């Protein structure tokens, strides 16, 4: 049961269109701004106790202005029912993208995502804002399945959840498993956040970005999930790339560069990690292709290692197993790829598994 | 002065003056941040303000200032707008530019912004250095959409509107005549804007009515030496006939390609060996056993096949050497008669991403 319904008009201006989803602390709706005639995202806290922190978290987020951070547009300071109005992102969050569309990104798109998120994070750190809850469900994917850009959202949400998180992380296994918010955040939490959530600073965001990048590259959380992740995070032993995911020749150099960046982000000592600016500088040196992606499925094989992909738009493109970053794809496999001109058919490169 | 709602508290330390409207820096008490409140001036048509609102709301670009709110009078008429406040000076504060790399990056950002405006179906109509600023993150923002018009409207206006020196020839008509215009007026104003960035001031010829272009407005003859194809494309932006001017997306793409000059990398895999081409390794010979040798090169913008022994195919299409590579591709050496002995070389082209 949601708190608001379609058609409801808030502050004589925002008309609720539909319920989008909810996190531990707030509900999110899509609404129509009847004054500026545009779609917006409307957020409201789920509990009265969260309301106090809501205004501060809104003002915190409003200080950041960057293309890779969802923009704060307005705030309705109603004591009983405050609302935050944000730029709407037509798409889904990164957690949903990995669950529903592409579980493991190729190193090119992975590099691009890390680069853009590092830019967004650098802008927020310049504005003096620490996110403290960087995780896939707080990253919006513009275009959803089409994946055209990424934006960090929910700055200040960690402030709202601070008490709950601190209690859960320090309360042992039972307290932790009772808090959905803490369980969701834990795999991306820096060691110093586990010791004292409230004291965590900018370097904790860099850790979280690194942990998330590892998952994008391998579809595995670097230290696992649940309570058993706690000692592993505290030990901060950088996990190796899964053996069955060793990149093929074409992808090895970039994969290793990304892995090295992730390793510095996951340093136990916060002062050894790169700053967000330092991360941007490292990403600027990465070479990747930004060709648009599309979907299809493996249709047939020509020889043992090459064959054809039937695209969702109806055509057929050539591909080779060497263009799949690791492993093989078989007939019927759904894939995500970029398309390059060729004859008699275009050529797909790179090709990764999709759902 | 209009009645500004209590939500916005005038910030006495900062002040600003806009072109068509008066502007006040205020603190938005709901979000504790500075905003710019622009009011409609006496005697200026309401149409201008509503044009600005429609324009800003329809464009999604990181190079266009963000609109937040409107202000109405007691009768409900819109009398002001509230938008993102950008501290700092406009682009006039950084001229003249004598550093080519910096100039190319700024010109690229301006071209990106105007291309975004045009792809949203809008015409800005007052492109000039005074209507652009950098935000705190160094992102160029275009503002003052007071004259913006939808490209699909009957784009015509009585008399000349715009800023002297930046107005395309087709806008210079007698006060009672109708001026018809397209997005190409922004392309013309773009050229005037970047000419000012290079020279520090606009040549007299551009200020004439109608404007003309002489040697002083020739991009191939400026103190800052531009790449030839860039200078030639900029010159076309000054074309007398609007349809002869390039699309801003094309200007953007050419500038983007030059910013990446010498920064591309090609990785080739042949017979299990990896080869690389980049600015410090501009040529490579790949030996293919009985099929001979394939020579590839990098000229700073593109990769190409320089020479090969025997027939060469790119993505399965036979090509004549020398041949420019289309980006990521597979080169095949040897005709079909070689069957499984043909050599396949995968080429992967990548580059750093320019995120401005």
């Amino acid at each position: 049961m949601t708190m608001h319904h379609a058609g409801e008009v808030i502050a004589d201006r925002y008309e609720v269109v539909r319920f989008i989803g909810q996190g531990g602390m707030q509900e999110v709706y899509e609404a129509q701004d009847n004054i500026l005639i545009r779609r917006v995202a409307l957020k409201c806290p789920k509990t009265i106790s969260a309301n106090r922190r809501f205004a501060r978290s809104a003002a915190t987020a409003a200080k950041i202005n960057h293309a890779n951070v969802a923009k704060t547009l307005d705030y309705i300071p109603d004591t009983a029912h405050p609302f935050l109005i944000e730029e709407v992102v037509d798409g889904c969050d990164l957690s949903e993208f990995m669950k529903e569309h592409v579980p493991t990104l190729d190193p090119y798109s992975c590099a691009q995502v890390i680069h853009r998120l590092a830019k967004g994070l650098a802008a927020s750190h310049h504005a003096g804002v620490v996110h403290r809850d960087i995780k896939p469900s707080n990253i919006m994917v513009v275009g959803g399945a089409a994946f055209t850009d990424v934006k960090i959202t929910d700055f200040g949400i960690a402030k709202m959840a601070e008490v709950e998180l601190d209690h859960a992380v320090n309360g042992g296994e039972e307290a932790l498993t009772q808090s959905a918010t803490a369980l969701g955040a834990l795999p991306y939490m820096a060691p110093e956040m586990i010791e004292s959530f409230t004291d965590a600073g900018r370097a904790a965001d860099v850790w979280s970005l690194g942990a998330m990048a590892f998952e994008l590259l391998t579809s595995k959380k670097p230290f696992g999930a649940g309570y058993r992740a706690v000692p592993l995070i505290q030990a901060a032993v950088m996990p190796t790339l899964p053996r069955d995911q060793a990149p093929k020749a074409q992808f090895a150099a970039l994969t290793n560069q990304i892995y090295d960046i992730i390793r510095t982000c996951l340093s136990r000592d916060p002062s050894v990690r790169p700053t967000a600016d330092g991360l941007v500088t490292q990403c600027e040196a990465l070479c990747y292709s930004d060709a648009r992606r599309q979907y299809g499925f493996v249709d047939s094989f020509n020889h043992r290692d090459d064959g054809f992909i039937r695209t969702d738009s109806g055509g057929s493109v050539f591909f080779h197993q060497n263009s799949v970053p690791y492993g093989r794809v078989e007939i019927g496999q759904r894939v995500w790829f970029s398309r390059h001109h060729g004859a008699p058919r275009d050529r797909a490169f790179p090709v990764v598994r999709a759902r | 002065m209009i009645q500004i709602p209590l939500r916005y508290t005038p910030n006495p330390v900062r002040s600003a003056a806009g072109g068509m409207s008066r502007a006040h820096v205020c603190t938005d008490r709901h979000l504790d941040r500075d905003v710019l409140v622009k009011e409609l001036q006496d005697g200026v048509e309401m149409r201008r303000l509503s044009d600005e609102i429609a324009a800003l709301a329809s464009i999604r670009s990181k190079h266009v200032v963000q609109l937040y709110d409107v202000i109405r009078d007691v009768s409900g008429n819109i009398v002001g707008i509230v938008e993102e406040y950008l501290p700092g000076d406009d682009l006039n504060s950084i001229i003249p530019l004598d550093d080519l790399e910096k100039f190319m990056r700024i010109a690229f950002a301006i071209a990106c912004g105007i291309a975004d405006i045009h792809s949203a179906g809008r015409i800005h109509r007052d492109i000039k250095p005074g209507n652009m600023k950098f935000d705190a993150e160094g992102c160029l923002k275009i503002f003052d959409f007071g004259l913006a018009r939808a490209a699909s409207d009957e784009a015509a206006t009585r008399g000349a509107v715009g800023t002297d020196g930046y107005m395309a020839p087709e806008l210079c008509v007698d006060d009672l005549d109708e001026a018809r215009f397209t997005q190409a007026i922004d392309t013309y104003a773009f050229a005037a804007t970047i000419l000012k960035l290079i020279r520090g001031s606009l040549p007299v010829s551009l200020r004439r009515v109608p404007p003309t272009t002489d040697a002083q407005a020739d991009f191939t003859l400026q103190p800052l030496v531009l790449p030839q194809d860039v200078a030639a494309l900029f010159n076309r932006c000054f074309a007398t006939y609007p349809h002869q001017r390039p699309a801003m997306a094309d200007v953007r793409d050419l500038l983007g390609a030059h910013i990446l000059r010498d920064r591309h990398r090609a990785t080739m895999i042949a017979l299990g060996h990896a080869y690389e081409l980049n600015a410090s390794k501009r040529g490579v010979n790949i030996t293919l056993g009985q099929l001979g040798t394939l020579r590839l090169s990098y000229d700073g913008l593109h990769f190409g096949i320089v020479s090969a022994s025997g027939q060469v195919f790119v993505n399965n299409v036979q090509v004549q050497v020398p041949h420019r590579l289309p980006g990521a591709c597979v080169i095949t050496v040897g005709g079909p008669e070689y069957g499984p002995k043909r050599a396949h070389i995968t080429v992967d082209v990548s580059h750093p991403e320019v995120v401005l």
Side-chain angles (χ1 to χ4, degrees):
Chain A
M1 189 60 197
T2 61
M3 293 190 291
H4 302 279
H5 52 85
E8 190 177 337
V9 177
I10 286 138
D12 291 333
R13 175 168 178 181
Y14 303 104
E15 186 174 336
V16 176
V17 175
R18 67 185 182 101
F19 175 72
I20 296 178
Q22 57 186 317
M25 307 310 289
Q26 61 188 4
E27 289 189 340
V28 186
Y29 298 85
E30 183 179 322
Q32 172 77 358
D33 176 350
N34 284 329
I35 288 183
L36 297 178
I37 321 298
R38 64 183 173 193
R39 290 291 163 108
V40 295
L42 195 137
K43 299 184 168 181
C44 56
K46 280 160 91 169
T47 61
I48 300 285
S49 65
N51 287 3
R52 283 176 296 121
R53 297 180 182 275
F54 196 58
R56 262 177 67 194
S57 85
T60 301
K63 290 187 173 53
I64 312 162
N65 187 355
H66 192 269
N68 296 112
V69 172
K71 281 191 178 60
T72 303
L73 299 174
D74 197 2
Y75 181 77
I76 313 293
D78 185 296
T79 337
H81 300 287
F83 291 94
L84 173 68
I85 289 84
E86 236 181 47
E87 163 189 16
V88 76
V89 177
D90 285 320
C92 59
D93 71 47
L94 189 54
S95 166
E96 290 163 349
F97 182 79
M98 290 191 288
K99 273 193 205 99
E100 288 161 26
H101 304 297
V102 181
T104 314
L105 300 189
D106 58 82
Y108 302 92
S109 41
C110 189
Q112 185 171 42
V113 169
I114 300 171
H115 190 176
R116 294 183 176 195
L117 294 179
K119 293 280 277 190
L121 200 57
S124 59
H125 289 179
H126 296 160
V129 178
V130 182
H131 191 293
R132 293 197 301 170
D133 195 13
I134 295 281
K135 59 182 177 188
S137 59
N138 283 340
I139 308 295
M140 293 304 295
V141 175
V142 182
F147 206 86
T148 51
D149 204 356
V150 283
K151 287 175 193 270
I152 309 173
T153 184
D154 282 339
F155 276 89
I157 194 91
K159 190 83 202 151
M160 291 168 65
E162 191 173 82
V163 177
E164 181 179 342
L165 284 170
D166 206 30
H167 174 76
V169 174
N170 290 305
E173 184 164 2
E174 196 183 340
L176 182 82
T177 46
Q178 277 172 5
S179 164
T181 308
L183 271 181
L186 181 71
Y188 312 95
M189 270 191 200
E192 69 270 24
M193 298 186 86
I194 291 179
E195 273 150 41
S196 169
F197 188 82
T198 42
D199 291 343
R202 296 170 189 200
D205 283 348
V206 172
W207 169 289
S208 303
L209 185 53
M212 199 166 68
F214 187 90
E215 188 175 358
L216 289 172
L217 197 61
T218 65
S219 78
K220 294 181 172 55
K221 294 177 175 62
F223 306 101
Y227 193 71
R228 66 193 160 82
V230 173
L232 295 176
I233 292 171
Q234 284 171 324
V237 177
M238 169 73 175
T240 52
L241 286 176
R243 204 172 289 171
D244 58 352
Q245 292 186 12
K248 291 176 191 155
Q250 199 94 65
F251 302 95
L254 183 59
T255 304
N256 292 334
Q257 281 179 303
I258 296 171
Y259 185 79
D260 286 344
I261 290 176
I262 295 172
R263 183 166 48 210
T264 61
C265 293
L266 297 182
S267 304
R268 176 81 176 79
D269 178 355
S271 67
V272 175
R273 291 172 213 153
T275 60
D277 281 324
L279 203 52
V280 170
T281 308
Q282 290 184 49
C283 291
E284 281 171 352
L286 296 178
C287 283
Y288 51 87
S289 129
D290 49 8
R292 287 293 286 271
R293 302 301 158 90
Q294 53 184 292
Y295 294 85
F297 63 89
V298 178
D299 190 31
S300 59
F301 281 98
N302 242 349
H303 303 101
R304 186 179 168 280
D305 289 333
D306 58 81
F308 301 102
I309 293 167
R310 174 140 310 262
T311 70
D312 283 6
S313 50
S316 176
V317 295
F318 171 84
F319 88 102
H320 192 281
Q321 296 284 10
N322 283 347
S323 301
V324 183
Y326 64 86
R328 292 176 58 88
V329 289
E330 302 302 339
I331 287 179
Q333 173 68 51
R334 195 159 167 72
V335 289
W336 191 54
F337 61 93
S338 322
R339 184 175 185 148
H340 304 273
H341 183 69
R345 292 187 176 87
D346 287 351
R347 168 177 175 254
F349 175 88
V351 179
V352 297
R353 297 160 192 81
R355 294 196 199 271
Chain B
M1 181 162 158
I2 59 166
Q3 183 71 42
I4 297 176
L6 290 176
R7 170 175 180 176
Y8 305 107
T9 316
N11 183 331
V13 186
R14 307 177 193 264
S15 69
M20 285 298 157
S21 45
R22 284 158 58 99
H24 314 273
V25 181
C26 294
T27 301
D28 172 5
R29 305 197 326 186
H30 288 190
L31 285 165
D32 189 28
R33 68 177 169 192
D34 285 338
V35 295
L36 194 65
V37 175
K38 290 166 86 175
E39 66 172 278
L40 194 65
Q41 270 182 314
D42 290 345
V44 175
E45 315 153 65
M46 174 93 70
R47 164 149 198 181
R48 246 176 219 161
L49 205 59
S50 40
D51 279 353
E52 176 151 9
I53 293 163
L56 284 174
S58 69
I59 303 165
R60 296 197 78 163
S61 167
K62 65 177 176 181
H63 297 295
V64 167
V65 83
Q66 185 69 45
L67 180 61
Y68 295 135
D69 199 1
V70 300
I71 293 174
R72 294 174 194 272
D73 65 11
V74 283
S75 346
N77 298 315
I78 294 173
V79 291
I81 61 173
V82 181
E83 64 182 33
E84 174 183 2
Y85 169 64
L86 300 167
D89 299 320
D90 64 45
L91 241 52
N92 281 311
S93 65
I94 59 161
I95 55 173
L97 285 168
D98 51 12
D99 179 273
L100 181 64
E101 193 185 330
K102 188 173 178 191
F103 167 80
M104 293 291 279
R105 281 182 164 263
I106 293 173
F108 176 63
I110 298 171
C112 286
I114 301 173
D116 288 345
I117 292 165
H118 288 179
S119 75
R122 293 277 160 184
I123 308 172
H124 183 285
R125 299 178 72 205
D126 202 12
I127 292 292
K128 57 180 177 182
N131 281 342
M132 299 167 192
K133 273 186 183 184
F134 290 102
D135 72 10
E137 289 297 310
C139 181
L140 180 112
K141 302 262 181 173
I142 301 173
F143 51 90
D144 227 339
F145 279 68
L147 298 175
R149 194 62 74 75
S152 57
D153 286 2
E154 273 301 289
T157 186
R158 296 267 171 208
V161 183
T163 302
D164 276 352
Y166 300 90
M167 282 161 62
E170 65 268 28
L171 290 172
C172 300
V173 295
D174 290 338
D175 279 358
L176 291 175
D177 282 349
E178 227 177 45
R180 301 199 145 268
F181 55 85
T182 62
Q183 293 177 333
I185 64 165
D186 287 346
T187 311
Y188 182 96
F190 164 80
T193 298
I194 55 173
L195 188 63
K196 191 173 184 193
L197 293 186
I198 294 174
R199 297 173 53 91
S201 63
L202 286 179
V204 178
S205 53
L206 285 189
R207 297 173 172 277
R208 291 203 188 98
V209 181
T212 55
T213 45
D214 55 15
Q216 301 205 6
D218 185 335
F219 283 97
T220 62
L221 304 173
Q222 298 302 319
L224 186 69
V225 179
L226 303 173
Q228 275 184 354
D229 52 350
V230 171
L233 192 67
F234 285 174
N235 279 344
R236 278 182 51 209
C237 296
F238 274 142
T240 305
Y241 296 103
H243 66 271
Q244 290 175 344
R245 295 176 207 144
M248 285 309 296
D250 294 339
V251 177
R252 172 197 66 199
D253 291 346
L254 183 67
L255 290 167
H258 276 277
I259 288 172
L260 289 174
R261 178 185 281 277
D262 287 341
R263 299 174 70 194
H264 304 83
R265 183 165 80 183
T267 312
M268 280 80 57
I269 309 288
L271 306 173
H273 284 280
Y275 301 83
E276 186 170 314
L277 280 179
N278 55 45
S280 53
K281 186 162 174 35
R282 291 184 180 268
V284 67
N285 290 313
I286 299 177
T287 315
L288 302 165
Q290 67 182 81
L291 291 164
T293 306
L294 178 71
R295 181 164 177 79
L296 303 175
S297 75
Y298 175 48
D299 68 2
L301 291 177
H302 304 282
F303 295 92
I305 303 171
V306 185
S307 63
S309 27
Q311 293 181 53
V312 182
F313 301 78
V314 171
N315 286 349
N316 215 21
V317 181
Q318 189 168 3
V319 297
Q320 297 303 315
V321 173
H323 178 78
R324 182 193 281 183
L325 296 177
C329 61
V330 175
I331 302 171
T332 303
V333 180
E337 67 276 14
Y338 284 89
K341 289 182 179 153
R342 299 169 93 189
H344 300 282
I345 299 103
T346 55
V347 183
D348 167 21
V349 174
S350 58
H351 56 77
E353 188 177 24
V354 183
V355 186
L356 295 179

